[in-house]
Amino acid sequence: MRRGLAAGGGGARPAGAPGGAPRPETPAGPRARARGGASAGAPGGPKAGSAGPQPPARAGGRSARPGDLPRAVSLSLDQTPNVFVLRVRLEETGEMFRVTDCRGDMTVRELKEELDLVVGIPFNLQRLQYLDQGVLMDDATLKFHDVVPGGIISLCIWHYDGWTELVLAAVEGDPSKLSCLGVTEDSFYRTANSQHFNDTMWKKWTSQRAFVALYIASHRGHADAVQYLLEHGASCSGKSPVGRTALHVAAAMGRVDCIRLLLAHGASAHDKDATGETPVSIARRLKYKQSEWRVFLYQWMARGPTDLVPKRAFPKAKPGFGSEKKSRS
């Protein structure tokens, strides 16, 4: 009888068990089948076409794959806030600056114009990069370059004609270094380009370098460097490519000592930049009340001592008022 059973005369082997011996059920096995986790047609799983529970399907009929990540990133960029903050790193010095009120549709040129004021580097010397990209194109938008809120923009100085050395010396504010970098007409400093200049071109070149040094030193608040440059011919009426003077950036940063020096050497508080802003309006916009008051005070004093007190502060005397009072006494 036992031999007949062993030969398979009356018993059916469980499906899927090799060698005829039934597989022991693990505790997870029945629960997995109860959840419908086995594939259709597999031993113990629901049959094809049955109404067993199915795993959630992704839209489009396939599960998420690594190739879908760029699409997810692009969707997140479309959902960025309308106004956000960027950080800008001046690579040559390691300084970090915060730029507010940035927008996705803001062009790189507009950002550079703002950095002209925030970082104190003239527009034409700026070279911007983001992540591993090359130089950002002026006419492209921040959204085009995939710039995200809170991202870090790299600002580099164009490495030609000795401008990098001049910017570093002006940021440091050392007059002895500036004196050796072609900011005066009697300087012996030469570059591969400037050594071929005639007298007229040489004067124009040194005047431009003196203005850039004055612009940056005023932005950083180096009063000693500002005084040295002004005393050696630097023009406080010079303007950056966006129409800003050294007084604009000094007022924007609240550099009271530099404001005093610039105004004493003839700087005008009424000069407007390309956007129509004066040093006073910039100080007001950036909430530097001390800068605004100092510029206003110096302009007021420059009108003469008779104008220090406005005429409307005193009422106009009536005719005969003085003689009537004198007759009564």
Side-chain angles (χ1 to χ4, degrees):
M1 187 68 179
R2 286 182 184 175
R3 184 172 296 178
L5 291 173
R13 284 182 290 185
R23 239 182 237 173
E25 292 283 1
T26 61
R31 288 197 296 269
R33 286 196 295 272
R35 290 194 302 266
S39 59
K47 296 181 180 180
S50 66
Q54 300 293 327
R58 184 178 176 272
R62 61 185 180 87
S63 59
R65 297 177 181 175
D68 296 326
L69 293 179
R71 182 180 178 184
V73 172
S74 64
L75 289 175
S76 65
L77 288 174
D78 292 336
Q79 297 172 358
T80 55
N82 293 330
V83 179
F84 53 89
V85 177
L86 287 179
R87 291 174 293 169
V88 176
R89 176 186 173 90
L90 182 56
E91 294 297 332
E92 281 76 10
T93 64
E95 297 170 291
M96 190 73 76
F97 299 87
R98 187 170 178 267
V99 186
T100 60
D101 298 333
C102 298
R103 310 175 313 277
D105 61 351
M106 187 181 196
T107 65
V108 174
R109 180 182 178 86
E110 290 173 336
L111 176 61
K112 291 168 74 173
E113 290 176 357
E114 188 66 17
L115 295 179
D116 184 287
L117 188 65
V118 175
V119 184
I121 303 299
F123 173 90
N124 56 320
L125 297 180
Q126 299 177 26
R127 180 166 55 92
L128 301 185
Q129 294 177 298
Y130 182 63
L131 300 179
D132 57 348
Q133 301 180 23
V135 178
L136 304 186
M137 300 176 292
D138 284 358
D139 295 333
T141 63
L142 298 183
K143 183 178 180 180
F144 174 83
H145 288 292
D146 295 332
V147 177
V148 297
I152 299 178
I153 300 286
S154 295
L155 192 159
C156 304
I157 308 300
W158 284 108
H159 295 284
Y160 71 94
D161 217 16
W163 286 109
T164 303
E165 293 80 6
L166 181 67
V167 169
L168 292 175
V171 168
E172 187 177 348
D174 189 347
S176 62
K177 291 183 179 180
L178 290 172
S179 63
C180 303
L181 292 173
V183 296
T184 58
E185 294 181 14
D186 58 353
S187 174
F188 294 102
Y189 179 78
R190 296 291 187 278
T191 64
N193 183 39
S194 64
Q195 64 182 348
H196 303 291
F197 289 164
N198 56 30
D199 290 343
T200 302
M201 296 176 65
W202 171 256
K203 290 179 180 179
K204 182 178 179 180
W205 187 73
T206 56
S207 176
Q208 185 181 11
R209 292 177 69 83
F211 164 74
V212 170
L214 180 65
Y215 196 84
I216 298 173
S218 298
H219 181 275
R220 297 303 195 277
H222 298 310
D224 292 341
V226 169
Q227 183 171 0
Y228 168 82
L229 291 165
L230 291 172
E231 290 177 350
H232 287 79
S235 174
C236 54
S237 61
K239 294 185 176 182
S240 72
V242 292
R244 295 191 180 111
T245 65
L247 186 59
H248 277 93
V249 291
M253 300 303 295
R255 310 301 189 185
V256 177
D257 291 339
C258 296
I259 291 172
R260 176 180 58 81
L261 288 170
L262 292 167
L263 290 171
H265 283 77
S268 173
H270 304 293
D271 285 337
K272 295 182 179 181
D273 62 10
T275 62
E277 287 192 300
T278 65
V280 175
S281 62
I282 286 179
R284 185 182 300 117
R285 174 168 63 89
L286 299 179
K287 296 179 173 54
Y288 282 105
K289 294 295 184 182
Q290 191 175 10
S291 300
E292 180 184 354
W293 170 246
R294 182 59 61 93
V295 174
F296 174 74
L297 179 62
Y298 269 82
Q299 289 294 307
W300 198 8
M301 293 178 64
R303 298 175 184 173
T306 58
D307 292 334
L308 284 177
V309 180
K311 293 180 180 179
R312 65 174 180 271
F314 297 98
K316 186 178 181 180
K318 296 181 179 180
F321 178 80
S323 59
E324 183 181 356
K325 182 177 181 181
K326 184 177 181 180
S327 63
R328 289 182 179 178
S329 60

